[in-house]
């Protein structure tokens, strides 16, 4: 019996373990830290051998195959030992893709990939297509494949997951954009991070499809340097010769396969320039799959976005509170600031990932009255914005940040949580941060 070792005992690792067991592997899972109770319970129920609180090399280096969870960096000592031993090491999405015949629609990018994945899945369901949603949103891809097979899988995939692919080949690949994010994982090199994103296309053939953002400068710079075999479809906010989708006459215009379609923006639940990019990508997918135009239109009209992404929480005495906790990088926060018309009290900060705040300066100067700095890396926020806003105040907890923001705000203002940073200093993850924000708002 072939031996499978799994590194990491959370959603990705446990999913890979369950799939490995189903495929007949002798499975051993190892986590350097503590495995949360819910995941430990899944492993115990499945009678999968595991360890936590450290790695036992002898139990890992005798494996025929190792699946690494995306959060584990390449520089981790156990990963380096596996590399030296010459053992095949792959990502969980690569492992799952090897065990399904379903077609893959994979979305990556620095911003917008969750919304785009959710919208595409909703579109396919509206059209009656047998499609599952997995990856960074919902269940891990491996766990989904372990439990059930589908005709299509809509996958949100990160650069970390793409780092360790081998044969992973999406039928449709979408690259929303590339901006500075996770640079600490890529030696503070935007090019290395961008190269990881472009790996989504590397196994595609002429039978596959690649959708990309013509307005994204990093994407466009690398397009000329990459060999992409897939059929290519670009989208842009304003019409260009290369664009198959663009915005004109207050509608998304789609021109493909000698057909023209228009989808009214006013009828869409998603609003804002950034969401037009996400919607254009979804419309292109719908056209590639020959879905009926009314199904695409209906899906745009009744879609509900993900929690923690420009989520309207409450209106308290004329002050609007918006939860954008999923904005863990500067570009995502740029879209949030750009989309809000009210004066803003901005809650920002956390674990800085090599952020360059220069792109935010014009928007902050124009729209933000005060900044409530929350978390570990607040010095850079002071350095970047102290001359652009009336006041910057440091806080040490979410309830304190919300209470202070409420008192700083005037009627008609918006309190926006859009941190532009990771969450791991004060919170378990961005979801925990967003939920604490919402709870604190409800307690006002």
């Amino acid at each position: 019996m072939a031996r499978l070792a799994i590194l990491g005992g959370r959603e990705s690792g446990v999913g890979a373990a369950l799939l490995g067991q189903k495929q007949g592997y002798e499975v051993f899972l190892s986590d350097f830290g503590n495995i949360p109770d819910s995941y430990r319970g899944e492993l115990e129920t499945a009678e999968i051998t595991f360890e936590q609180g450290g790695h036992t090399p002898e139990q890992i280096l005798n494996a025929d195959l190792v699946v690494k969870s995306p959060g584990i960096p390449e520089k981790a000592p156990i990963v380096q030992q596996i590399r030296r031993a010459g053992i095949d090491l792959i990502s969980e999405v690569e492992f799952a893709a090897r065990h399904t015949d379903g077609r893959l629609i994979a979305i990556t990018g620095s911003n917008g990939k969750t919304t785009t994945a959710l919208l595409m899945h909703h579109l396919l369901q509206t059209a009656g297509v047998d499609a599952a949603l997995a990856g960074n949103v919902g269940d891990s891809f491996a766990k989904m494949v372990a439990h059930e097979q589908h005709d299509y899988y809509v996958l949100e995939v990160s650069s970390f997951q793409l780092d360790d692919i081998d044969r992973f080949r999406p039928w449709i690949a979408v690259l929303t954009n590339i901006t500075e994010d996770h640079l600490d994982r890529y030696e503070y090199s935007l090019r290395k991070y961008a190269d990881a994103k472009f790996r989504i296309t590397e196994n595609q053939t002429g039978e596959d499809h690649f959708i990309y953002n013509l307005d994204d400068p990093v994407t466009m710079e690398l397009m000329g340097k990459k060999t992409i075999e897939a059929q290519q479809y670009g989208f842009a906010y304003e019409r260009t010769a290369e664009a198959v989708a663009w915005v004109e006459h207050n509608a998304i215009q789609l021109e493909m396969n000698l057909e023209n379609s228009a989808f009214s923006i006013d009828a869409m639940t998603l609003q804002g320039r950034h969401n037009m990019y996400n919607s254009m990508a979804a419309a292109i997918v719908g056209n590639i799959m020959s879905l009926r135009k009314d199904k695409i239109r209906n899906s745009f009209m009744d879609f509900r976005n993900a929690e923690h992404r420009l989520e309207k929480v409450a209106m308290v005495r004329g002050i609007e509170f918006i939860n954008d906790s999923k904005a863990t990088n500067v570009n995502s926060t740029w879209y949030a600031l750009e989309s809000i018309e009210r004066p803003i009290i901005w809650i920002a900060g956390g674990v800085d990932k090599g952020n360059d705040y220069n792109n935010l300066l014009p928007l902050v100067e124009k729209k933000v009255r005060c900044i409530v700095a929350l978390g570990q890396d607040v010095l850079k926020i002071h350095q970047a914005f102290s001359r652009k806003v009336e006041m910057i105040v440091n806080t040490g907890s979410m309830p304190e940040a919300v209470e202070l923001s409420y008192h700083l705000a005037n009627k008609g203002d918006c309190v926006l949580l859009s941190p532009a940073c990771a969450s791991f200093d004060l919170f378990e993850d961005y979801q925990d941060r967003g939920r604490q924000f919402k709870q604190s708002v409800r307690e006002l």
Side-chain angles (χ1 to χ4, degrees), residues 23-98:
Q23 295 298 322
Y25 284 92
E26 179 187 345
V27 180
F28 176 73
L29 182 145
S30 178
D31 195 303
F32 191 75
N34 292 321
I35 300 174
D37 291 346
S38 60
Y39 292 119
R40 194 167 65 246
E42 286 187 79
L43 294 170
E44 289 170 346
T45 299
E47 299 182 350
I48 292 172
T49 305
F50 66 91
E51 66 177 353
Q52 58 182 335
H55 299 304
T56 304
E58 296 77 16
Q59 290 276 62
I60 298 168
L61 298 178
N62 65 355
D64 300 289
L65 177 66
V66 177
V67 174
K68 178 173 78 68
S69 296
I72 301 170
E74 179 69 22
K75 64 184 179 182
I78 189 63
V79 173
Q80 293 300 304
Q81 288 179 275
I82 293 165
R83 296 291 191 201
R84 286 194 295 270
I87 302 169
D88 190 18
L89 186 149
I90 60 174
S91 67
E92 171 254 327
V93 296
E94 169 72 30
F95 184 60
R98 294 180 181 184

Side-chain angles (χ1 to χ4, degrees), residues 87-362:
I87 302 169
D88 190 18
L89 186 149
I90 60 174
S91 67
E92 171 254 327
V93 296
E94 169 72 30
F95 184 60
R98 294 180 181 184
H99 297 290
T100 180
D101 293 326
R103 278 182 158 175
L104 310 184
I105 301 170
I107 301 99
T108 196
S110 301
N111 301 294
K113 56 184 179 291
T114 299
T115 299
T116 305
L118 289 166
L119 179 57
M120 286 184 187
H121 181 245
H122 177 66
L123 167 60
L124 297 185
Q125 286 196 317
T126 300
V129 175
D130 174 29
L133 177 69
N136 274 2
V137 57
D139 287 339
S140 71
F141 184 23
K143 184 179 289 186
M144 181 68 69
V145 172
H147 291 322
E148 53 197 41
Q149 291 286 332
H150 294 273
D151 294 338
Y152 296 88
Y153 293 89
V154 178
L155 307 176
E156 178 194 334
V157 293
S158 69
S159 57
F160 297 171
Q161 291 167 312
L162 293 169
D163 281 335
D164 295 297
I165 63 169
D166 179 24
R167 304 193 299 266
F168 180 75
R169 176 192 164 192
W171 176 54
I172 300 176
V174 179
L175 177 56
T176 59
N177 50 50
I178 301 173
T179 61
E180 292 185 351
D181 195 12
H182 302 299
L183 295 191
D184 50 341
R185 179 82 171 246
Y186 293 96
E187 302 174 13
Y188 295 93
S189 167
L190 179 59
R191 176 59 189 268
K192 290 183 178 180
Y193 170 61
D195 285 341
K197 290 292 187 189
F198 263 91
R199 293 199 70 190
I200 198 169
T201 72
E202 71 178 22
N203 296 315
Q204 289 189 297
T205 72
E207 298 176 357
D208 303 319
H209 310 270
F210 177 54
I211 301 168
Y212 62 97
N213 186 345
L214 287 159
D215 289 342
D216 183 62
V218 180
T219 298
M220 296 312 298
E221 180 184 352
L222 286 182
M223 284 291 289
K225 301 175 181 177
K226 301 286 185 181
T227 300
I228 299 173
E229 301 292 341
Q231 301 169 54
Q232 298 175 28
Y233 310 82
F235 57 87
Y237 201 78
E238 296 182 0
R239 186 172 191 175
T240 68
E242 298 85 3
V244 300
W246 64 93
V247 175
E248 192 174 26
H249 305 308
N250 201 38
I252 286 177
Q253 308 290 335
L254 187 67
E255 191 173 275
M256 292 175 63
N257 303 324
L258 303 178
E259 292 185 9
N260 299 312
S261 305
F263 304 96
S264 170
I265 290 173
D266 288 340
M268 295 180 178
T269 57
L270 289 176
Q271 295 291 313
R273 182 183 179 112
H274 60 297
N275 280 321
M276 294 308 101
Y277 289 124
N278 302 332
S279 300
M280 282 189 277
I284 295 170
V285 170
N287 189 279
I288 290 170
M289 297 183 65
S290 300
L291 302 183
R292 285 169 43 187
K293 302 300 184 292
D294 63 317
K295 297 296 184 183
I296 299 174
R297 188 170 289 108
N298 290 342
S299 71
F300 287 159
M301 292 170 62
D302 60 10
F303 173 70
R304 292 292 176 266
N305 201 1
E307 186 181 16
H308 313 299
R309 192 70 188 98
L310 285 172
E311 178 189 11
K312 294 183 179 181
V313 177
M315 186 76 75
V316 182
R317 296 183 181 178
I319 301 165
E320 185 174 33
F321 288 81
I322 294 181
N323 168 27
D324 195 42
S325 181
K326 199 172 190 304
T328 59
N329 60 53
V330 167
N331 194 257
S332 192
T333 293
W334 187 95
Y335 284 124
L337 294 172
E338 187 266 343
S339 69
I340 293 171
E341 299 302 325
R342 296 165 174 259
I344 298 169
I345 308 299
W346 176 29
I347 302 176
V351 179
D352 188 295
K353 298 181 287 184
N355 288 351
D356 179 355
Y357 292 108
N358 284 329
N359 288 344
L360 296 182
L361 293 178

